[in-house]
Amino acid sequence: MIGMRLLPLAAACAAAVLFASGCATADKAQSCAEATKVISSTVSEIGKVADDPAAMRKKIEDGAADLENMANKAADTTLRDALQGLAESLQKLNVDDANAAVDAAQRVATDGAKYLRQVSEACI
């Protein structure tokens, strides 16, 4: 008799676990989509101003801040590390003149691709 009463409880607990893990999966999918969007947007925006060192410095600063904000919210360690890694890479760039801006744009494109790969691996 007791076993019969525990069965619905066990089923309810199993359903709660499945529901919770489904939510976690949905949250991760949302985080992955947002991370991909922020990285792609940051790389694109920086690339658009490769001929304007002052504008590029601003885009780099804004992009690094966006990436850090997202990294701070990311629950997945690999995702957080990728976002933080790109933010740190951007912060190390020195864009003093047009030549440095071109070099920085190339570096951002290369590093952006690297960290997008990390995000995609974290999101599989």
Side-chain angles (χ1 to χ4, degrees):
M1 195 76 145
I2 293 174
M4 296 298 264
R5 280 186 271 178
L6 290 179
L7 193 57
L9 178 61
C13 289
V17 168
L18 287 173
F19 179 73
S21 65
C23 289
T25 302
D27 287 346
K28 185 172 181 179
Q30 173 87 21
S31 294
C32 290
E34 288 176 14
T36 301
K37 181 181 173 189
V38 168
I39 291 173
S40 298
S41 174
T42 299
V43 170
S44 174
E45 290 297 312
I46 291 170
K48 289 178 186 176
V49 293
D51 58 344
D52 185 345
M56 181 179 264
R57 282 191 296 274
K58 176 73 172 130
K59 294 287 185 185
I60 287 170
E61 193 176 295
D62 292 347
D66 290 345
L67 291 162
E68 282 185 333
N69 287 338
M70 179 156 280
N72 290 333
K73 296 175 191 170
D76 182 85
T77 305
T78 306
L79 188 58
R80 183 173 40 245
D81 290 348
L83 292 162
Q84 189 62 43
L86 184 54
E88 290 171 3
S89 172
L90 293 178
Q91 291 165 346
K92 292 177 185 174
L93 294 174
N94 190 6
V95 183
D96 290 336
D97 57 30
N99 288 335
V102 170
D103 291 344
Q106 291 172 344
R107 181 66 191 212
V108 169
T110 301
D111 287 354
K114 171 185 159 185
Y115 289 108
L116 271 175
R117 272 193 306 277
Q118 285 184 6
V119 166
S120 68
E121 288 170 10
C123 295
I124 292 175

